[in-house]
Each structure stands twice: as C-alpha cells, then as structure tokens.
Amino acid sequence: GRRRRGGQVLRSGDRRAPHDRHDAEPHIASPAKIAGSGRVGPLNAALLIWSAWVHAAEPAADHDVSVLQPRWGVGAVAGVDAPTVLPRGRVRLATTLQYEDAPVLYYADGDLYGAAVGSRLLGQLGAGVGVLRWLDAGVDLPVAYTYASDDTPFTADGPAVGDLDTTVRARVYDRPGGGLLVRADVSWPTGTRNAWMSDPTVRPALALVGGLRGPRLRAALDLGVLARPEHDSGAHWKVSTELTGGASLSWVVVPERLDLDYALLSRVHAAAPEERSSRALELLAGVTAHPGRGVDVAMGAGLGLLGGVGEPTARAWIDVRWLLTPPARTEPAPLPTPVALPEDAPDPEPEPPPTETAVVVWREGELARVEADRISIRDPIQFEFGTEVILPESRPTLRAVAEFLRTDWRILHVVIQGHASDEGSFAYNYDLSSRRARAVWEALVAAGVHPDRISYQGMGEVVPVREGTDEATLAANRRVVFRIVRMLEPGDSAPTLPDHIRLPWTGDAAPVQNPIAPPPPPPPPEEDEL
C-alpha cells in the first residue's frame, strides 16, 4: 500500500523514505524513551501533585491522540459542542464509529520511518442524562482496532480500550438567538497502555461553548484547555497541556429533518506550539438526519490539514443518538408561578378536530386576530428541533399576540395550549408540549402581558387536527393554540392589575401594559317634559 503525507510517499515495508530538510522535525518520539523535561510551566504546576507517580521513561505511545471527541449537546456537530443541555430526567444514548487513516506517523533522524498507526477503527459508546434544567452529565468509553501499520518502534496493532471519559455541562446563558455553556471533562487512565489510546494520568479539561441560532443557520464555538503533565521526548515533540478548539456551522436544509454540517477542529500543545507535530487541524463535513422519535443520525468525512500527532490523513464517521422516553410522572410538573385560572372561568376544553377545511384569508401584514374563542395566528409557532427554544422567525407572531392582549380590554384570560405530533411516547410528547407552551407563556410575559391574564398547559399528542404519518400531517399537529377562556361581559368592569411585575424565571423587574376599558357611554339625553 501507499501512504502520502505532507507531499511524501511511503510504501509499506520500506524502512526509510526520502525526506525534505524543511520537514526535519519529527512528528512523534524517537526510539528513545521519554524523559522528564525538568521544566514546569504555570499551567502544569498543579499537575505535579497527582502525577509524581508517573515514571520518567514512559513511551510516547502511552498517550491518547484522539482529536474528534463525542459531544452531548443537542445540535452538536462532529466534536464541536452546542450550548444546550439535555432535558431534566432524560437519558440520551450515543454510539459513534469512525475510520481513521494514518493518524500517527513516525519520524526518526529527520526521515519518515513509517506509520505507527496505519488504519484504525474507533468506536465510542456513551450515555448522558439531564440532571437539572440547566445541568447534564455524561460518560463515554472508546474502543479501537488498529491494523495495517508499518513496523516502527511504537506500532500497536490490534484491539485496544481507551480511557473512560466523564463530563458535566452547565448552561449559563440561554436566549432564542443563542446561548453559553461551561463544560468540565475528566478522562480516567483505564485504557490499554502503549496503544495511542490512554494516558498514564488523570486528565481534567475545561471548556467554554457559545452558539448562535437562526431560522436556517446555527453556529458554535468550543474553546478549552486539556491539562497534561509535560514530558519531553528528546526529539522536538512534547506531551503537554493542550489548547483545544472547534467551530461548527449547520444549515437547516429541511426543518426538523435534515441539516448540512461543517466543522473545524484544532489542538495545540502549549509547551511547543511552534512545532509542526504539536499542531493538529482538521476540516470535516457531513449531514445530520432527524428521522423522529428522538433519534439523530449523523455521518460525514474529514481531512487533516497540518499533519500534527493524532490528525488523520482522512476520516469517516457515523454517529447515532437516541433520546430515551422517561417514565410517566404520577403528578404533573408545577407551574413556574402560582398562576391559576380565574375561579369563575370554566375549565378549557380540548381543541376539537375540525370537521371541514375552511379557506382563511389574511390581510397583508396581519399575523394574528381574534376569532370566536381564540386568538388565531397566521403562521405556526416554530421551535428548535426537540427543544422549547422559539425560533426567531416566530417572534413577530408572538409580538402580534401580545399586542392583542395588551390592548383588547375584552380579553380577560387566555390559555396557551401546546400540542405535539405522535412521533414519540405519550410521556415525551406531553413533556415537550408543556415546555413549549411554557416558553410561549414566558415570551408573552416578557413582552408586557400580565401573568394573571395568561396560563399554559401541555396537551401532548391526544388532540390531533389531522390523522396520518406524512410530514405535512405531523407538522400540522405540532402547534400552539391561544384559547380565550374568559371575556368581559357587557356591564362588567375589568380587574385592576399592577403595571409592574418581577419575572418569575429571573426575578428582574419588568413593566406590563394592561388594556384600558373604554369609558362608559354617556347617558341618554333627558326628554323635555311637556
């Protein structure tokens, strides 16, 4: 077989190959054992306490070189996390299978000696769980099989197990247009030694993940630090604390069905960032499909750009994730505030399915209007896939609904009903529809509607407006309905409500605008007595 790396060709079995002088610096350690460098940088001082037991003669192959790491965020792309956490109490299973071509080449005395890792099949098995509304945790175990490597001092063909990885992710900021998340990872030295899959020490990491969301585009930036004790190979390559980075861009081709993804992954060893072997950079492209029922399937390929250690010449992967259905709750989740329907208001009835299809005509620029017992909207409220995050394209519709509630003095109370399609279990759809209805409730309160005039409820999948399994039918059943349950009767006076509140989810003071009832009509003129 032939391998091409950095403009050079190596035939399997060749002991040496010609090498240009500008590539004289080796990619990995020479046959000599790694010795302690004797220097401790500021980032590594604390590591000496728990790494003193590491022997100074550990070989370079006793080092995890993986660049693409699995991430748990909903919407994460090819090793770049997303600033979203798993819903509380929900479990997500994930499995990833990758093929890597020549992720580790061995140089000796300035010449290319061979591929220490020729071809590798790498798989990850993991699970994550939502702990709190803003916190989740996960665990991941990689396994690998290496084959077709050249005969080098650090070749390690055969099966191997990687280090057990644990992660905790905390969301610190979340808005419809984007969010921010902090991730803490720990890798435990449980893997096969001297197989490019495991380090001899515990490796903590800390990262900051930010993202932006739009109707059709999503972008994320994942920047972190991975702590490692520093070791000098004696051959111009150091194992040390790493600066990790990743950026992703996703284009929503079919909403809630298909995304086109791009990602850029990088890793730099802090001890010697100027050395070629200390820098890894990889470009990846792929697609993510959402077939429904909580399943995501992603696949794609990548190319190495710089030739650093752990960066394969080429990569292909497939990733399957499944968001499991939680057990049904015996009690409904409490409302975020003690808001209840007025005592004299009847319980809202489930929305009846329509008996016939009527042609609805909307005026230009009209987004919402009052029709009988509801506020009808021209366009459905759109959410990010599998979450309660309202997409920006639906904000004008919500502003129009809020304007009706702020100005129409006849409307005393509206129930926001969330409905789901039947692609998941009853418990999952009930939870999702409740969270989406609550998100709309929060958006209207933030827009100046007094919380005493609106409440919300999740209806799950039990009141569909259409029957069928095609996407048009399922999309029609995923909806938010604004039902008017109390109107001001003639002669009644509107209740007096304060014009300032505190937002229940932050405690911040916020103004509200209550409708002003028109003055009563003037009394009829008295007739002159005859």
Side-chain angles (χ1 to χ4, degrees):
R2 295 166 60 89
R3 302 188 188 281
R4 182 177 296 274
R5 191 75 165 188
Q8 302 174 54
V9 176
L10 172 69
R11 292 176 174 81
S12 299
D14 289 354
R15 298 295 293 178
R16 291 290 180 91
H19 190 71
D20 295 337
R21 293 299 301 169
H22 69 274
D23 281 335
E25 127 186 330
H27 276 203
I28 67 171
S30 67
K33 303 295 184 180
I34 294 179
S37 65
R39 294 188 298 108
V40 179
L43 294 177
N44 299 316
L47 299 178
L48 291 179
I49 298 175
W50 50 266
S51 63
W53 60 272
V54 180
H55 196 274
E58 292 288 356
D62 197 4
H63 175 49
D64 180 17
V65 299
S66 298
V67 175
L68 194 158
Q69 299 288 348
R71 302 303 181 198
W72 289 108
V74 177
V77 175
V80 182
D81 213 341
T84 56
V85 296
L86 299 178
R88 183 173 57 182
R90 303 297 303 278
V91 175
R92 198 180 199 194
L93 302 180
T95 178
T96 304
L97 181 63
Q98 303 180 50
Y99 166 76
E100 298 177 331
D101 178 65
V104 181
L105 297 180
Y106 172 57
Y107 283 78
D109 300 327
D111 291 330
L112 179 61
Y113 193 92
V117 178
S119 297
R120 183 162 72 174
L121 294 176
L122 180 65
Q124 283 103 354
L125 301 173
V129 61
V131 181
L132 300 171
R133 187 178 178 185
W134 52 272
L135 183 75
D136 64 16
V139 61
D140 181 83
L141 182 66
V143 294
Y145 183 80
T146 302
Y147 62 97
S149 302
D150 295 304
D151 183 15
T152 75
F154 299 128
T155 294
D157 280 0
V161 178
D163 289 340
L164 183 70
D165 296 320
T166 56
T167 183
V168 175
R169 304 163 65 251
R171 184 178 58 197
V172 297
Y173 176 82
D174 185 34
R175 289 295 182 269
L180 191 65
L181 177 142
V182 175
R183 186 184 67 243
D185 303 318
V186 178
S187 297
W188 307 91
T190 59
T192 305
R193 309 298 293 271
N194 305 332
W196 303 102
M197 289 286 292
S198 175
D199 274 49
T201 61
V202 176
R203 304 189 308 281
L206 187 66
L208 186 66
V209 182
L212 298 175
R213 294 185 288 260
R216 287 286 184 174
L217 292 175
R218 295 193 306 268
L221 187 63
D222 187 337
L223 302 176
V225 177
L226 172 63
R228 276 190 166 113
E230 182 177 324
H231 296 283
D232 192 342
S233 67
H236 308 289
W237 184 69
K238 296 180 176 67
V239 179
S240 65
T241 292
E242 298 175 359
L243 306 178
T244 62
S248 67
L249 180 67
S250 296
W251 175 43
V252 181
V253 180
V254 180
E256 299 198 5
R257 280 293 176 261
L258 186 67
D259 303 337
L260 183 60
D261 306 319
Y262 300 93
L264 191 66
L265 305 180
S266 66
R267 187 181 67 188
V268 178
H269 286 269
E274 73 283 355
E275 296 175 3
R276 175 182 175 184
S277 53
S278 295
R279 305 187 304 270
L281 186 65
E282 190 173 354
L283 179 65
L284 304 105
V287 295
T288 300
H290 312 287
R293 300 191 179 275
V295 176
D296 293 339
V297 180
M299 61 185 68
L303 294 175
L305 302 179
L306 296 182
V309 171
E311 172 197 314
T313 303
R315 182 197 306 272
W317 86 91
I318 182 170
D319 179 81
V320 179
R321 301 187 180 194
W322 181 24
L323 192 63
L324 299 181
T325 299
R329 294 192 296 262
T330 57
E331 296 181 358
L335 294 175
T337 59
V339 176
L341 294 178
E343 294 182 0
D344 57 347
D347 293 335
E349 297 292 335
E351 181 188 8
T355 57
E356 60 182 16
T357 303
V359 178
V360 180
V361 179
W362 291 85
R363 297 190 302 270
E364 184 178 357
E366 187 181 24
L367 299 177
R369 63 190 178 195
V370 176
E371 293 181 341
D373 64 343
R374 71 184 61 198
I375 300 177
S376 298
I377 55 177
R378 187 186 68 185
D379 302 314
I381 306 299
Q382 299 287 342
F383 299 87
E384 186 175 319
F385 174 76
T387 74
E388 68 274 23
V389 177
I390 302 171
L391 293 180
E393 63 196 60
S394 294
R395 291 290 166 177
T397 299
L398 290 179
R399 286 195 293 268
V401 173
E403 184 64 19
F404 271 109
L405 292 169
R406 291 194 302 257
T407 58
D408 194 330
W409 58 273
R410 301 169 301 165
I411 303 175
L412 292 183
H413 199 88
V414 170
V415 175
I416 304 162
Q417 290 182 336
H419 296 264
S421 59
D422 61 356
E423 295 173 275
S425 70
F426 282 99
Y428 170 72
N429 288 331
Y430 170 72
D431 179 70
L432 180 61
S433 65
S434 298
R435 288 188 285 115
R436 288 181 168 180
R438 181 179 62 195
V440 174
W441 181 89
E442 292 181 353
L444 293 180
V445 172
V449 179
H450 198 285
D452 282 356
R453 300 181 59 218
I454 52 177
S455 55
Y456 70 87
Q457 64 178 176
M459 298 298 294
E461 62 180 85
V462 298
V463 190
V465 294
R466 295 185 188 178
E467 297 291 341
T469 58
D470 59 284
E471 175 55 27
T473 297
L474 297 174
N477 291 333
R478 296 188 291 261
R479 67 200 188 280
V480 173
V481 178
F482 303 90
R483 296 183 62 85
I484 301 173
V485 297
R486 187 181 176 192
M487 296 283 287
L488 193 66
E489 298 295 335
D492 291 346
S493 59
T496 302
L497 298 173
D499 58 2
H500 281 79
I501 63 169
R502 296 181 65 187
L503 297 178
W505 53 93
T506 63
D508 296 337
V512 295
Q513 180 181 340
N514 297 308
I516 301 176
E526 297 181 359
E527 297 183 359
D528 295 336
E529 296 183 0
L530 297 177

